[in-house]
Amino acid sequence: MGNLIKCPMCDKDISPNAISCPHCGEPMKLQQEKEVQVIENPTSYNLILESTSQAIKAIKLIREVTNLGLKEAKDITDKMPCTFMFNLDIAKANSIVSRFKDIGAVVTILGDNNTFVKPTYVAKDNLIKCSNCKSVNCNKISGLSKAGSVGLWGIFSVGKLNKTWECKSCGYRW
């Protein structure tokens, strides 16, 4: 019991090796994927936007190629160098690189034998997470929903009245 730490969210004792708090679901540290074994001939490639002289044209091309929104495409151009496409075959990667070269952008191709470990989960301060299935697909149970439940089911709806959140993935309420 001497090596337990306090959860920053609920102040309960938890293991220092815990990925998330078992009581409130607060993430403790990033989970990381295991490194992929190095392959001699890469089978998939990633594209990295190094620099561009025409940011607006680069944003338009990023949106066209990746189907991202305006904000995400702008974030890519603001945070150069940035990897913006993953797991492409060499023919598609070369065609996309040539399109970027036409507008004056520098894009490099990185084979999957040079991949890095990237976080699979990014912790946010205001993240609500289901303690049952660890999903972030959660909604707050509204007062109108609680009142409708009482009107329809009466005393049998008491289980919903004292709950605040509901997971849309597994249906768990807490």
Side-chain angles (χ1 to χ4, degrees), residues 28-41:
M28 293 293 119
K29 55 187 169 183
L30 295 175
Q31 286 182 318
Q32 294 186 340
E33 295 177 351
K34 295 180 181 177
E35 280 216 35
V36 180
Q37 291 183 351
V38 176
I39 302 172
E40 291 296 322
N41 296 326

Side-chain angles (χ1 to χ4, degrees), residues 36-127:
V36 180
Q37 291 183 351
V38 176
I39 302 172
E40 291 296 322
N41 296 326
T43 56
S44 64
Y45 298 88
N46 302 335
L47 296 182
I48 302 171
L49 180 64
E50 299 288 341
S51 65
T52 183
S53 59
Q54 299 176 352
I56 294 174
K57 288 184 179 180
I59 291 170
K60 286 181 182 179
L61 190 55
I62 290 170
R63 290 187 68 197
E64 180 183 327
V65 171
T66 61
N67 294 327
L68 290 174
L70 180 62
K71 182 185 181 319
E72 291 86 5
K74 185 177 182 312
D75 287 344
I76 289 171
T77 58
D78 288 344
K79 297 174 183 171
M80 290 186 284
C82 182
T83 305
F84 67 99
M85 292 196 75
F86 300 94
N87 299 328
L88 298 171
D89 59 6
I90 190 66
K92 187 168 184 170
N94 284 330
S95 69
I96 292 171
V97 168
S98 66
R99 290 176 68 186
F100 275 95
K101 283 184 181 175
D102 291 343
I103 64 166
V106 176
V107 176
T108 57
I109 300 175
L110 182 68
D112 72 353
N113 59 353
N114 295 326
T115 56
F116 54 94
V117 176
K118 64 177 188 171
T120 58
Y121 178 77
V122 177
K124 295 181 181 177
D125 292 337
N126 58 354
L127 186 67

